[in-house]
Amino acid sequence: MAAIARAWGLLLLLLLLPWLAHGSSIKSVPELESRMYASLAGFPCVRWLNLTGELGCANPGHGAVSAPILRMGDALDSPATVLVPAESFEEFVDRFGDDKNVVGVLVENGSQAPGFGASDDARFPQAEFAPYENQSWVWNPFGSGMMHRRLNFPVFFLSSPENIELARRLASQNVEKGSKRPANVVEFNDVMQTTKTGTPTTESCLGELSCLPLGGYSVMSTFPPVNVSHPTVKPVVLAMASVDSATFFRDVAPGADSPMSGVIALLAAVDALSHVPDFDSFLKRLVFLVFTGEARGYLGSRQFLAQLKKGAFADYGLTSIHQILEVGSVGQASEATFFVHKQATAAAVDTQQIIDALYLSASSTDSTVKLANEDNPGIPPSSLMTFVHNDPTVAGVVIEEFDTAFTNKYYNSVDDNSSNVNLPSLVVAASLVARSLVLLASDNNLRFDSPIFESIQVNMSLVEEMVNCFFGTSPGMRCSLVESLMTASHDVANHYVGVFQADPSVSPNSMPEVIDDTTRFVWNFLADRTALPREDLHEKCTLVCKNPDEVCVGATQSQLGQCRVSSTSSCILAGKMISFHFSQLSNRSGCHTG
Amino acid sequence: MGLVAGFGYFLIALGPALTIFGSSVAPKPFLILTVLASALVWLASLNIAAIVWRAFLPGPSWVFLLILTTSVALQEAFRLLYWHLYLKIEKYLNVLATKLSKPQCNYLDRLEIALASGVGHGLAHAVFFGLSIIAPAFGPATYYTSSCKQMPLFLVSALSSLAFFLLHTFSMVIAFNAYTYDNISQKLFVPIMHLGAALLTLVNLLPNGCTAGVPLVFLCTALTMAYGGKIVWHNLGPHSLHHGYLHSPQSGSSL
């Protein structure tokens, strides 16, 4: 009878107890098996590597681990899986993170208390990239830094109420029984390690091919489109935003306010600008950039800059940057007030032109723009930091909803979802951006009371739809706005940058599964809005167009796309986390039209 | 752990079967064939019962009484059929033996064939009712029903299979002896014991019933084994030398 010594569970499969039998009869052996196991779907915390070592969570060995389930607060005198409420997770890790009896942790989704610890990132996110000395400035007062810790056990996030209820019931049963068998056991079979031992840093694991590099596609679009064969050279105004977020749990990174609100505002601004006639006659060219990988070491912006310096964008008439306007977190501005952040070292005249354009736009849109507090050490964590590193005099500003520190309590947190942004803030931000860009492109030759200026209207329903598409669950990315341009692979958009596994030489649109849905949507949206006006006869296409100036826009599973003249491309950035060395990757990068 | 538990239950259910097979059946090829043939016959009987009853399931709990009674009755009917089939075969075997100038079937042979037939019956029961339920035990988890918190379902199943295997094996020996000597009490003993054991398994359905049900079934098994042993001892033991195991009984004659 010793054979029945231990009871095990499976997968995040729990071992079933008599109460689950309902006293009713079992009709077949498969039904018996289904009563023995239950699967608990959860979102994992994964193992990350950077230059200096490991972060995140993993099984200590190479096999699956399992242990009986208990609740936080129960006596931990034998190996156990602990069920921890989200609010107490940090405290739990502080007290029991090194306890050998913690085999794994299940975190219950609760509404995170919006206080200290609500954000998973550090108090100065990515401080090592700051182009100024003061790296102890607290930009993120709610940050716990949890996502930068190294844990030696698996952690899963339970989001659905049914799973949480089940886990709680089984844990309390274990406690009632004491240590008597049979016990309810949780097995974590998501083994998260580098495939070879002894490769704890990016250098070693990429060299040994025992891990995958983070990477993805950023989208670049010029407005109006350039003639690729002989591009005219004009001073370039860069309007940029970033699209990726990072939290303790890789797959739950909605990033609504930070940074997606910037993307939404930028896209809505592009939509408004697309109705402005004669953009070709303006003195400067606009280039829209949506980066990914920013939350994990500014991968997108750094790769972009590296490519720019090598002359990769000469075909687009892009060899140097005149001015930069970055749209940061703009989803929860209070009283329609936005703050302009700039580096003290920025070129005075060109930067002031941007700021003046913003002031002018604010006065015409019933909002307020203020310069950020002088006591700030510099610009907040943003893609602009990369450009400032490259050239401290670059004329660039970041628009944010906050002044001296983030007002977003859920920066890089699982709770940064659609309830963390509001429509009025997004719409006003989009108007600001649109009008400022027009002023900058026209090099102040446009009077603010000109009819063109007044005609720039942001489509409010577009903004609302984007919020529902990016942060909703149903229909989520199957909403009509997205479906009109592309077919998404998943219903729910997650904004984790992803690993880069594709062949860099292949055009990403030919393998839609390689690019994540949000990036693909941004590409299609920008291509559609920045393209030359539609004529009646457009060549239909599925992936590529014969004319090098044209791209295939809007190809979905149910309809063919159209070849439109647009200079929109997706650029690869593949990188190691927190690494300044691009030499290994320089031959793997490039931009593709389409 | 899962593999260990699974094999443990398997050996509990069929360990004695393997032993009996290895020691008494395997050395004689004809007995191996007998085991197979018997198993097939009993599988057929169980299949017929299953086909009939599938139409009425799932149903209320009292239906179990009906199922058990009719299935046992069907199996006992098959036992009688099997006996007549055996007589025919024995006749042909004896004809063959005469042709080859070999000795004819004697009483010991009959009992050995009875044992092998019983093993076949028991194996069919174990495979049908035991092994399929024990199969999930090879995984990492186990299962306790609400009415039996003392033993896992798999253990109850394995023990039941063991009990019934032994019951069926020795029932056949008693039955062959009963039909040979036309002994009414022995003829009735087998069906009654079979039915009794079957109905006693229903005790497992009661809360904590398995603590009583399983031992009671083993009681039936023990009684059957004791009775069977007594018969064999009486017929073949030292005090029965005057029969001699060289004597070939005619079917139906009583001595």
mmCIF file of all heavy atoms in Angstrom, chain B residues 46-69:
data_model
loop_
_atom_site.group_PDB
_atom_site.id
_atom_site.type_symbol
_atom_site.label_atom_id
_atom_site.label_comp_id
_atom_site.label_asym_id
_atom_site.label_seq_id
_atom_site.Cartn_x
_atom_site.Cartn_y
_atom_site.Cartn_z
ATOM 1 N N LEU B 46 -19.876 -11.281 -20.859
ATOM 2 C CA LEU B 46 -19.919 -9.931 -20.301
ATOM 3 C C LEU B 46 -20.341 -8.916 -21.346
ATOM 4 O O LEU B 46 -21.072 -7.966 -21.056
ATOM 5 C CB LEU B 46 -18.541 -9.568 -19.735
ATOM 6 C CG LEU B 46 -18.142 -10.322 -18.464
ATOM 7 C CD1 LEU B 46 -16.687 -10.052 -18.126
ATOM 8 C CD2 LEU B 46 -19.031 -9.915 -17.307
ATOM 9 N N ASN B 47 -19.885 -9.143 -22.571
ATOM 10 C CA ASN B 47 -20.272 -8.234 -23.643
ATOM 11 C C ASN B 47 -21.770 -8.241 -23.866
ATOM 12 O O ASN B 47 -22.388 -7.197 -24.028
ATOM 13 C CB ASN B 47 -19.569 -8.621 -24.954
ATOM 14 C CG ASN B 47 -18.260 -7.880 -25.110
ATOM 15 O OD1 ASN B 47 -18.137 -6.748 -24.676
ATOM 16 N ND2 ASN B 47 -17.303 -8.523 -25.729
ATOM 17 N N ILE B 48 -22.330 -9.460 -23.853
ATOM 18 C CA ILE B 48 -23.777 -9.541 -24.070
ATOM 19 C C ILE B 48 -24.512 -8.804 -22.963
ATOM 20 O O ILE B 48 -25.422 -8.011 -23.220
ATOM 21 C CB ILE B 48 -24.221 -11.014 -24.141
ATOM 22 C CG1 ILE B 48 -23.664 -11.649 -25.412
ATOM 23 C CG2 ILE B 48 -25.743 -11.114 -24.111
ATOM 24 C CD1 ILE B 48 -23.854 -13.145 -25.464
ATOM 25 N N ALA B 49 -24.077 -9.044 -21.746
ATOM 26 C CA ALA B 49 -24.718 -8.341 -20.630
ATOM 27 C C ALA B 49 -24.578 -6.835 -20.795
ATOM 28 O O ALA B 49 -25.512 -6.073 -20.563
ATOM 29 C CB ALA B 49 -24.084 -8.788 -19.308
ATOM 30 N N ALA B 50 -23.392 -6.400 -21.209
ATOM 31 C CA ALA B 50 -23.145 -4.967 -21.357
ATOM 32 C C ALA B 50 -24.009 -4.362 -22.441
ATOM 33 O O ALA B 50 -24.560 -3.267 -22.287
ATOM 34 C CB ALA B 50 -21.664 -4.728 -21.648
ATOM 35 N N ILE B 51 -24.103 -5.090 -23.558
ATOM 36 C CA ILE B 51 -24.895 -4.562 -24.674
ATOM 37 C C ILE B 51 -26.335 -4.367 -24.230
ATOM 38 O O ILE B 51 -26.942 -3.329 -24.498
ATOM 39 C CB ILE B 51 -24.825 -5.517 -25.889
ATOM 40 C CG1 ILE B 51 -23.436 -5.442 -26.529
ATOM 41 C CG2 ILE B 51 -25.882 -5.137 -26.917
ATOM 42 C CD1 ILE B 51 -23.216 -6.507 -27.577
ATOM 43 N N VAL B 52 -26.856 -5.382 -23.527
ATOM 44 C CA VAL B 52 -28.251 -5.282 -23.091
ATOM 45 C C VAL B 52 -28.419 -4.118 -22.123
ATOM 46 O O VAL B 52 -29.327 -3.305 -22.254
ATOM 47 C CB VAL B 52 -28.689 -6.605 -22.434
ATOM 48 C CG1 VAL B 52 -30.013 -6.413 -21.734
ATOM 49 C CG2 VAL B 52 -28.784 -7.695 -23.483
ATOM 50 N N TRP B 53 -27.509 -4.031 -21.171
ATOM 51 C CA TRP B 53 -27.698 -3.034 -20.120
ATOM 52 C C TRP B 53 -27.333 -1.620 -20.537
ATOM 53 O O TRP B 53 -27.796 -0.667 -19.927
ATOM 54 C CB TRP B 53 -26.885 -3.426 -18.872
ATOM 55 C CG TRP B 53 -27.654 -4.403 -18.053
ATOM 56 C CD1 TRP B 53 -27.378 -5.719 -17.869
ATOM 57 C CD2 TRP B 53 -28.868 -4.134 -17.344
ATOM 58 N NE1 TRP B 53 -28.334 -6.290 -17.081
ATOM 59 C CE2 TRP B 53 -29.257 -5.346 -16.738
ATOM 60 C CE3 TRP B 53 -29.661 -3.000 -17.150
ATOM 61 C CZ2 TRP B 53 -30.400 -5.447 -15.964
ATOM 62 C CZ3 TRP B 53 -30.794 -3.107 -16.369
ATOM 63 C CH2 TRP B 53 -31.158 -4.322 -15.786
ATOM 64 N N ARG B 54 -26.532 -1.458 -21.563
ATOM 65 C CA ARG B 54 -26.153 -0.117 -21.997
ATOM 66 C C ARG B 54 -27.378 0.720 -22.314
ATOM 67 O O ARG B 54 -27.391 1.932 -22.103
ATOM 68 C CB ARG B 54 -25.232 -0.220 -23.230
ATOM 69 C CG ARG B 54 -24.645 1.092 -23.656
ATOM 70 C CD ARG B 54 -23.640 1.587 -22.630
ATOM 71 N NE ARG B 54 -23.138 2.910 -22.977
ATOM 72 C CZ ARG B 54 -23.762 4.048 -22.638
ATOM 73 N NH1 ARG B 54 -24.881 4.022 -21.950
ATOM 74 N NH2 ARG B 54 -23.247 5.205 -22.983
ATOM 75 N N ALA B 55 -28.397 0.049 -22.811
ATOM 76 C CA ALA B 55 -29.585 0.795 -23.196
ATOM 77 C C ALA B 55 -30.290 1.400 -21.987
ATOM 78 O O ALA B 55 -31.007 2.387 -22.101
ATOM 79 C CB ALA B 55 -30.539 -0.113 -23.962
ATOM 80 N N PHE B 56 -30.075 0.814 -20.804
ATOM 81 C CA PHE B 56 -30.822 1.259 -19.630
ATOM 82 C C PHE B 56 -29.993 2.142 -18.709
ATOM 83 O O PHE B 56 -30.458 2.535 -17.647
ATOM 84 C CB PHE B 56 -31.331 0.053 -18.840
ATOM 85 C CG PHE B 56 -32.252 -0.810 -19.628
ATOM 86 C CD1 PHE B 56 -31.759 -1.898 -20.336
ATOM 87 C CD2 PHE B 56 -33.605 -0.536 -19.698
ATOM 88 C CE1 PHE B 56 -32.610 -2.691 -21.089
ATOM 89 C CE2 PHE B 56 -34.451 -1.325 -20.441
ATOM 90 C CZ PHE B 56 -33.961 -2.404 -21.140
ATOM 91 N N LEU B 57 -28.759 2.434 -19.115
ATOM 92 C CA LEU B 57 -27.904 3.239 -18.250
ATOM 93 C C LEU B 57 -27.649 4.575 -18.904
ATOM 94 O O LEU B 57 -27.589 4.670 -20.126
ATOM 95 C CB LEU B 57 -26.571 2.524 -18.009
ATOM 96 C CG LEU B 57 -26.670 1.266 -17.144
ATOM 97 C CD1 LEU B 57 -25.347 0.527 -17.156
ATOM 98 C CD2 LEU B 57 -27.043 1.634 -15.723
ATOM 99 N N PRO B 58 -27.369 5.638 -18.194
ATOM 100 C CA PRO B 58 -27.368 5.725 -16.734
ATOM 101 C C PRO B 58 -28.756 5.712 -16.126
ATOM 102 O O PRO B 58 -29.708 6.149 -16.763
ATOM 103 C CB PRO B 58 -26.704 7.083 -16.469
ATOM 104 C CG PRO B 58 -26.906 7.853 -17.704
ATOM 105 C CD PRO B 58 -26.999 6.870 -18.832
ATOM 106 N N GLY B 59 -28.855 5.160 -14.934
ATOM 107 C CA GLY B 59 -30.174 5.069 -14.325
ATOM 108 C C GLY B 59 -30.088 5.224 -12.823
ATOM 109 O O GLY B 59 -29.030 5.535 -12.286
ATOM 110 N N PRO B 60 -31.184 5.010 -12.128
ATOM 111 C CA PRO B 60 -31.206 5.151 -10.662
ATOM 112 C C PRO B 60 -30.390 4.048 -9.994
ATOM 113 O O PRO B 60 -30.078 3.041 -10.615
ATOM 114 C CB PRO B 60 -32.689 5.011 -10.316
ATOM 115 C CG PRO B 60 -33.278 4.268 -11.462
ATOM 116 C CD PRO B 60 -32.477 4.612 -12.684
ATOM 117 N N SER B 61 -30.033 4.243 -8.730
ATOM 118 C CA SER B 61 -29.114 3.306 -8.085
ATOM 119 C C SER B 61 -29.686 1.909 -7.926
ATOM 120 O O SER B 61 -28.952 0.937 -7.943
ATOM 121 C CB SER B 61 -28.667 3.818 -6.719
ATOM 122 O OG SER B 61 -28.973 5.151 -6.579
ATOM 123 N N TRP B 62 -31.000 1.762 -7.806
ATOM 124 C CA TRP B 62 -31.521 0.403 -7.586
ATOM 125 C C TRP B 62 -31.352 -0.462 -8.820
ATOM 126 O O TRP B 62 -31.459 -1.689 -8.742
ATOM 127 C CB TRP B 62 -32.978 0.455 -7.135
ATOM 128 C CG TRP B 62 -33.910 1.185 -8.064
ATOM 129 C CD1 TRP B 62 -34.358 2.451 -7.913
ATOM 130 C CD2 TRP B 62 -34.498 0.683 -9.274
ATOM 131 N NE1 TRP B 62 -35.185 2.783 -8.939
ATOM 132 C CE2 TRP B 62 -35.302 1.715 -9.805
ATOM 133 C CE3 TRP B 62 -34.435 -0.531 -9.955
ATOM 134 C CZ2 TRP B 62 -36.022 1.587 -10.968
ATOM 135 C CZ3 TRP B 62 -35.165 -0.673 -11.137
ATOM 136 C CH2 TRP B 62 -35.945 0.384 -11.639
ATOM 137 N N VAL B 63 -31.070 0.211 -9.937
ATOM 138 C CA VAL B 63 -30.852 -0.553 -11.161
ATOM 139 C C VAL B 63 -29.660 -1.492 -11.009
ATOM 140 O O VAL B 63 -29.589 -2.547 -11.640
ATOM 141 C CB VAL B 63 -30.660 0.447 -12.332
ATOM 142 C CG1 VAL B 63 -29.726 -0.094 -13.369
ATOM 143 C CG2 VAL B 63 -31.983 0.786 -12.955
ATOM 144 N N PHE B 64 -28.698 -1.095 -10.122
ATOM 145 C CA PHE B 64 -27.517 -1.945 -9.931
ATOM 146 C C PHE B 64 -27.902 -3.346 -9.487
ATOM 147 O O PHE B 64 -27.319 -4.341 -9.914
ATOM 148 C CB PHE B 64 -26.588 -1.328 -8.880
ATOM 149 C CG PHE B 64 -25.783 -0.170 -9.399
ATOM 150 C CD1 PHE B 64 -25.721 1.024 -8.704
ATOM 151 C CD2 PHE B 64 -25.087 -0.283 -10.591
ATOM 152 C CE1 PHE B 64 -24.977 2.086 -9.189
ATOM 153 C CE2 PHE B 64 -24.349 0.775 -11.078
ATOM 154 C CZ PHE B 64 -24.294 1.968 -10.372
ATOM 155 N N LEU B 65 -28.895 -3.432 -8.604
ATOM 156 C CA LEU B 65 -29.342 -4.746 -8.131
ATOM 157 C C LEU B 65 -29.747 -5.617 -9.305
ATOM 158 O O LEU B 65 -29.377 -6.787 -9.415
ATOM 159 C CB LEU B 65 -30.542 -4.579 -7.191
ATOM 160 C CG LEU B 65 -30.208 -4.368 -5.717
ATOM 161 C CD1 LEU B 65 -31.435 -3.892 -4.975
ATOM 162 C CD2 LEU B 65 -29.708 -5.673 -5.128
ATOM 163 N N LEU B 66 -30.506 -4.998 -10.185
ATOM 164 C CA LEU B 66 -31.007 -5.725 -11.343
ATOM 165 C C LEU B 66 -29.859 -6.144 -12.254
ATOM 166 O O LEU B 66 -29.795 -7.282 -12.737
ATOM 167 C CB LEU B 66 -31.963 -4.803 -12.100
ATOM 168 C CG LEU B 66 -33.242 -5.420 -12.631
ATOM 169 C CD1 LEU B 66 -33.975 -6.139 -11.505
ATOM 170 C CD2 LEU B 66 -34.150 -4.313 -13.182
ATOM 171 N N ILE B 67 -28.964 -5.211 -12.486
ATOM 172 C CA ILE B 67 -27.839 -5.508 -13.379
ATOM 173 C C ILE B 67 -27.035 -6.666 -12.834
ATOM 174 O O ILE B 67 -26.703 -7.618 -13.547
ATOM 175 C CB ILE B 67 -26.906 -4.284 -13.520
ATOM 176 C CG1 ILE B 67 -27.626 -3.112 -14.156
ATOM 177 C CG2 ILE B 67 -25.698 -4.651 -14.359
ATOM 178 C CD1 ILE B 67 -26.767 -1.882 -14.221
ATOM 179 N N LEU B 68 -26.718 -6.591 -11.541
ATOM 180 C CA LEU B 68 -25.882 -7.632 -10.957
ATOM 181 C C LEU B 68 -26.556 -8.992 -11.026
ATOM 182 O O LEU B 68 -25.944 -9.988 -11.412
ATOM 183 C CB LEU B 68 -25.554 -7.283 -9.508
ATOM 184 C CG LEU B 68 -24.541 -6.145 -9.322
ATOM 185 C CD1 LEU B 68 -24.401 -5.802 -7.861
ATOM 186 C CD2 LEU B 68 -23.209 -6.520 -9.918
ATOM 187 N N THR B 69 -27.822 -9.014 -10.669
ATOM 188 C CA THR B 69 -28.519 -10.304 -10.635
ATOM 189 C C THR B 69 -28.573 -10.921 -12.031
ATOM 190 O O THR B 69 -28.252 -12.093 -12.211
ATOM 191 C CB THR B 69 -29.950 -10.112 -10.106
ATOM 192 O OG1 THR B 69 -29.917 -9.203 -9.018
ATOM 193 C CG2 THR B 69 -30.534 -11.429 -9.663
#
